[in-house]
mmCIF file with all atom_site columns, all heavy atoms in Angstrom:
data_model
loop_
_atom_site.group_PDB
_atom_site.id
_atom_site.type_symbol
_atom_site.label_atom_id
_atom_site.label_alt_id
_atom_site.label_comp_id
_atom_site.label_asym_id
_atom_site.label_entity_id
_atom_site.label_seq_id
_atom_site.pdbx_PDB_ins_code
_atom_site.Cartn_x
_atom_site.Cartn_y
_atom_site.Cartn_z
_atom_site.occupancy
_atom_site.B_iso_or_equiv
_atom_site.pdbx_formal_charge
_atom_site.auth_seq_id
_atom_site.auth_comp_id
_atom_site.auth_asym_id
_atom_site.auth_atom_id
_atom_site.pdbx_PDB_model_num
ATOM 1   N N   . ILE A 1 248 ? -10.747 9.390  14.136 1.00 0.00 ? 248 ILE A N   1
ATOM 2   C CA  . ILE A 1 248 ? -11.070 8.495  15.221 1.00 0.00 ? 248 ILE A CA  1
ATOM 3   C C   . ILE A 1 248 ? -12.043 7.461  14.679 1.00 0.00 ? 248 ILE A C   1
ATOM 4   O O   . ILE A 1 248 ? -13.057 7.788  14.015 1.00 0.00 ? 248 ILE A O   1
ATOM 5   C CB  . ILE A 1 248 ? -11.788 9.250  16.382 1.00 0.00 ? 248 ILE A CB  1
ATOM 6   C CG1 . ILE A 1 248 ? -10.801 10.311 16.904 1.00 0.00 ? 248 ILE A CG1 1
ATOM 7   C CG2 . ILE A 1 248 ? -12.137 8.306  17.531 1.00 0.00 ? 248 ILE A CG2 1
ATOM 8   C CD1 . ILE A 1 248 ? -11.435 11.284 17.960 1.00 0.00 ? 248 ILE A CD1 1
ATOM 9   N N   . ILE A 1 249 ? -11.763 6.180  14.976 1.00 0.00 ? 249 ILE A N   1
ATOM 10  C CA  . ILE A 1 249 ? -12.581 5.077  14.613 1.00 0.00 ? 249 ILE A CA  1
ATOM 11  C C   . ILE A 1 249 ? -13.052 4.410  15.894 1.00 0.00 ? 249 ILE A C   1
ATOM 12  O O   . ILE A 1 249 ? -12.238 4.111  16.788 1.00 0.00 ? 249 ILE A O   1
ATOM 13  C CB  . ILE A 1 249 ? -11.854 4.009  13.743 1.00 0.00 ? 249 ILE A CB  1
ATOM 14  C CG1 . ILE A 1 249 ? -11.074 4.659  12.622 1.00 0.00 ? 249 ILE A CG1 1
ATOM 15  C CG2 . ILE A 1 249 ? -12.800 2.907  13.283 1.00 0.00 ? 249 ILE A CG2 1
ATOM 16  C CD1 . ILE A 1 249 ? -10.152 3.730  11.882 1.00 0.00 ? 249 ILE A CD1 1
ATOM 17  N N   . THR A 1 250 ? -14.333 4.218  16.024 1.00 0.00 ? 250 THR A N   1
ATOM 18  C CA  . THR A 1 250 ? -14.899 3.557  17.224 1.00 0.00 ? 250 THR A CA  1
ATOM 19  C C   . THR A 1 250 ? -15.686 2.328  16.751 1.00 0.00 ? 250 THR A C   1
ATOM 20  O O   . THR A 1 250 ? -16.134 2.259  15.625 1.00 0.00 ? 250 THR A O   1
ATOM 21  C CB  . THR A 1 250 ? -15.805 4.471  18.008 1.00 0.00 ? 250 THR A CB  1
ATOM 22  O OG1 . THR A 1 250 ? -17.059 4.681  17.310 1.00 0.00 ? 250 THR A OG1 1
ATOM 23  C CG2 . THR A 1 250 ? -15.156 5.806  18.333 1.00 0.00 ? 250 THR A CG2 1
ATOM 24  N N   . THR A 1 251 ? -15.857 1.417  17.675 1.00 0.00 ? 251 THR A N   1
ATOM 25  C CA  . THR A 1 251 ? -16.711 0.233  17.439 1.00 0.00 ? 251 THR A CA  1
ATOM 26  C C   . THR A 1 251 ? -17.646 0.053  18.624 1.00 0.00 ? 251 THR A C   1
ATOM 27  O O   . THR A 1 251 ? -17.240 0.233  19.786 1.00 0.00 ? 251 THR A O   1
ATOM 28  C CB  . THR A 1 251 ? -15.933 -1.044 17.279 1.00 0.00 ? 251 THR A CB  1
ATOM 29  O OG1 . THR A 1 251 ? -15.262 -1.462 18.487 1.00 0.00 ? 251 THR A OG1 1
ATOM 30  C CG2 . THR A 1 251 ? -14.849 -0.919 16.152 1.00 0.00 ? 251 THR A CG2 1
ATOM 31  N N   . GLY A 1 252 ? -18.911 -0.300 18.273 1.00 0.00 ? 252 GLY A N   1
ATOM 32  C CA  . GLY A 1 252 ? -19.862 -0.467 19.338 1.00 0.00 ? 252 GLY A CA  1
ATOM 33  C C   . GLY A 1 252 ? -20.613 0.801  19.735 1.00 0.00 ? 252 GLY A C   1
ATOM 34  O O   . GLY A 1 252 ? -20.137 1.924  19.472 1.00 0.00 ? 252 GLY A O   1
ATOM 35  N N   . GLY A 1 253 ? -21.798 0.625  20.308 1.00 0.00 ? 253 GLY A N   1
ATOM 36  C CA  . GLY A 1 253 ? -22.545 1.739  20.884 1.00 0.00 ? 253 GLY A CA  1
ATOM 37  C C   . GLY A 1 253 ? -23.245 2.587  19.840 1.00 0.00 ? 253 GLY A C   1
ATOM 38  O O   . GLY A 1 253 ? -23.570 3.735  20.125 1.00 0.00 ? 253 GLY A O   1
ATOM 39  N N   . VAL A 1 254 ? -23.497 2.124  18.659 1.00 0.00 ? 254 VAL A N   1
ATOM 40  C CA  . VAL A 1 254 ? -24.104 2.921  17.633 1.00 0.00 ? 254 VAL A CA  1
ATOM 41  C C   . VAL A 1 254 ? -25.552 2.517  17.305 1.00 0.00 ? 254 VAL A C   1
ATOM 42  O O   . VAL A 1 254 ? -26.216 3.123  16.519 1.00 0.00 ? 254 VAL A O   1
ATOM 43  C CB  . VAL A 1 254 ? -23.316 2.857  16.325 1.00 0.00 ? 254 VAL A CB  1
ATOM 44  C CG1 . VAL A 1 254 ? -21.988 3.610  16.471 1.00 0.00 ? 254 VAL A CG1 1
ATOM 45  C CG2 . VAL A 1 254 ? -23.097 1.441  15.841 1.00 0.00 ? 254 VAL A CG2 1
ATOM 46  N N   . SER A 1 255 ? -26.063 1.546  18.048 1.00 0.00 ? 255 SER A N   1
ATOM 47  C CA  . SER A 1 255 ? -27.435 1.067  17.801 1.00 0.00 ? 255 SER A CA  1
ATOM 48  C C   . SER A 1 255 ? -28.393 1.994  18.611 1.00 0.00 ? 255 SER A C   1
ATOM 49  O O   . SER A 1 255 ? -28.091 3.156  18.865 1.00 0.00 ? 255 SER A O   1
ATOM 50  C CB  . SER A 1 255 ? -27.620 -0.361 18.138 1.00 0.00 ? 255 SER A CB  1
ATOM 51  O OG  . SER A 1 255 ? -28.822 -0.889 17.613 1.00 0.00 ? 255 SER A OG  1
ATOM 52  N N   . VAL A 1 256 ? -29.535 1.418  18.949 1.00 0.00 ? 256 VAL A N   1
ATOM 53  C CA  . VAL A 1 256 ? -30.569 2.310  19.609 1.00 0.00 ? 256 VAL A CA  1
ATOM 54  C C   . VAL A 1 256 ? -30.923 1.782  20.996 1.00 0.00 ? 256 VAL A C   1
ATOM 55  O O   . VAL A 1 256 ? -31.986 2.039  21.501 1.00 0.00 ? 256 VAL A O   1
ATOM 56  C CB  . VAL A 1 256 ? -31.874 2.352  18.805 1.00 0.00 ? 256 VAL A CB  1
ATOM 57  C CG1 . VAL A 1 256 ? -31.630 3.114  17.470 1.00 0.00 ? 256 VAL A CG1 1
ATOM 58  C CG2 . VAL A 1 256 ? -32.403 0.889  18.474 1.00 0.00 ? 256 VAL A CG2 1
ATOM 59  N N   . GLY A 1 257 ? -29.983 1.063  21.610 1.00 0.00 ? 257 GLY A N   1
ATOM 60  C CA  . GLY A 1 257 ? -30.205 0.538  22.950 1.00 0.00 ? 257 GLY A CA  1
ATOM 61  C C   . GLY A 1 257 ? -29.941 1.606  24.005 1.00 0.00 ? 257 GLY A C   1
ATOM 62  O O   . GLY A 1 257 ? -29.398 2.704  23.740 1.00 0.00 ? 257 GLY A O   1
ATOM 63  N N   . ASP A 1 258 ? -30.199 1.277  25.276 1.00 0.00 ? 258 ASP A N   1
ATOM 64  C CA  . ASP A 1 258 ? -30.072 2.223  26.363 1.00 0.00 ? 258 ASP A CA  1
ATOM 65  C C   . ASP A 1 258 ? -28.647 2.561  26.637 1.00 0.00 ? 258 ASP A C   1
ATOM 66  O O   . ASP A 1 258 ? -28.281 3.571  27.255 1.00 0.00 ? 258 ASP A O   1
ATOM 67  C CB  . ASP A 1 258 ? -30.729 1.672  27.657 1.00 0.00 ? 258 ASP A CB  1
ATOM 68  C CG  . ASP A 1 258 ? -32.200 1.614  27.523 1.00 0.00 ? 258 ASP A CG  1
ATOM 69  O OD1 . ASP A 1 258 ? -32.754 2.286  26.683 1.00 0.00 ? 258 ASP A OD1 1
ATOM 70  O OD2 . ASP A 1 258 ? -32.855 0.893  28.316 1.00 0.00 ? 258 ASP A OD2 1
ATOM 71  N N   . PHE A 1 259 ? -27.651 1.661  26.232 1.00 0.00 ? 259 PHE A N   1
ATOM 72  C CA  . PHE A 1 259 ? -26.277 1.871  26.478 1.00 0.00 ? 259 PHE A CA  1
ATOM 73  C C   . PHE A 1 259 ? -25.416 2.142  25.248 1.00 0.00 ? 259 PHE A C   1
ATOM 74  O O   . PHE A 1 259 ? -24.271 2.046  25.259 1.00 0.00 ? 259 PHE A O   1
ATOM 75  C CB  . PHE A 1 259 ? -25.721 0.635  27.242 1.00 0.00 ? 259 PHE A CB  1
ATOM 76  C CG  . PHE A 1 259 ? -26.325 0.436  28.666 1.00 0.00 ? 259 PHE A CG  1
ATOM 77  C CD1 . PHE A 1 259 ? -27.333 -0.461 28.767 1.00 0.00 ? 259 PHE A CD1 1
ATOM 78  C CD2 . PHE A 1 259 ? -25.945 1.193  29.712 1.00 0.00 ? 259 PHE A CD2 1
ATOM 79  C CE1 . PHE A 1 259 ? -27.910 -0.618 29.974 1.00 0.00 ? 259 PHE A CE1 1
ATOM 80  C CE2 . PHE A 1 259 ? -26.514 0.998  30.963 1.00 0.00 ? 259 PHE A CE2 1
ATOM 81  C CZ  . PHE A 1 259 ? -27.550 0.113  31.064 1.00 0.00 ? 259 PHE A CZ  1
ATOM 82  N N   . ASP A 1 260 ? -26.158 2.592  24.166 1.00 0.00 ? 260 ASP A N   1
ATOM 83  C CA  . ASP A 1 260 ? -25.475 2.828  22.928 1.00 0.00 ? 260 ASP A CA  1
ATOM 84  C C   . ASP A 1 260 ? -25.120 4.335  22.871 1.00 0.00 ? 260 ASP A C   1
ATOM 85  O O   . ASP A 1 260 ? -25.781 5.129  22.239 1.00 0.00 ? 260 ASP A O   1
ATOM 86  C CB  . ASP A 1 260 ? -26.388 2.438  21.699 1.00 0.00 ? 260 ASP A CB  1
ATOM 87  C CG  . ASP A 1 260 ? -26.393 0.943  21.545 1.00 0.00 ? 260 ASP A CG  1
ATOM 88  O OD1 . ASP A 1 260 ? -25.386 0.294  21.707 1.00 0.00 ? 260 ASP A OD1 1
ATOM 89  O OD2 . ASP A 1 260 ? -27.568 0.414  21.267 1.00 0.00 ? 260 ASP A OD2 1
ATOM 90  N N   . PHE A 1 261 ? -24.078 4.654  23.690 1.00 0.00 ? 261 PHE A N   1
ATOM 91  C CA  . PHE A 1 261 ? -23.741 6.035  23.907 1.00 0.00 ? 261 PHE A CA  1
ATOM 92  C C   . PHE A 1 261 ? -23.142 6.741  22.709 1.00 0.00 ? 261 PHE A C   1
ATOM 93  O O   . PHE A 1 261 ? -23.175 7.992  22.654 1.00 0.00 ? 261 PHE A O   1
ATOM 94  C CB  . PHE A 1 261 ? -22.939 6.176  25.179 1.00 0.00 ? 261 PHE A CB  1
ATOM 95  C CG  . PHE A 1 261 ? -23.645 5.765  26.415 1.00 0.00 ? 261 PHE A CG  1
ATOM 96  C CD1 . PHE A 1 261 ? -23.081 4.808  27.300 1.00 0.00 ? 261 PHE A CD1 1
ATOM 97  C CD2 . PHE A 1 261 ? -24.906 6.355  26.763 1.00 0.00 ? 261 PHE A CD2 1
ATOM 98  C CE1 . PHE A 1 261 ? -23.726 4.454  28.452 1.00 0.00 ? 261 PHE A CE1 1
ATOM 99  C CE2 . PHE A 1 261 ? -25.527 5.939  27.907 1.00 0.00 ? 261 PHE A CE2 1
ATOM 100 C CZ  . PHE A 1 261 ? -25.010 5.079  28.763 1.00 0.00 ? 261 PHE A CZ  1
#
Side-chain angles (χ1 to χ4, degrees):
I248 300 173
I249 310 169
T250 70
T251 66
V254 290
S255 193
V256 292
D258 291 342
F259 297 97
D260 288 318
F261 293 127

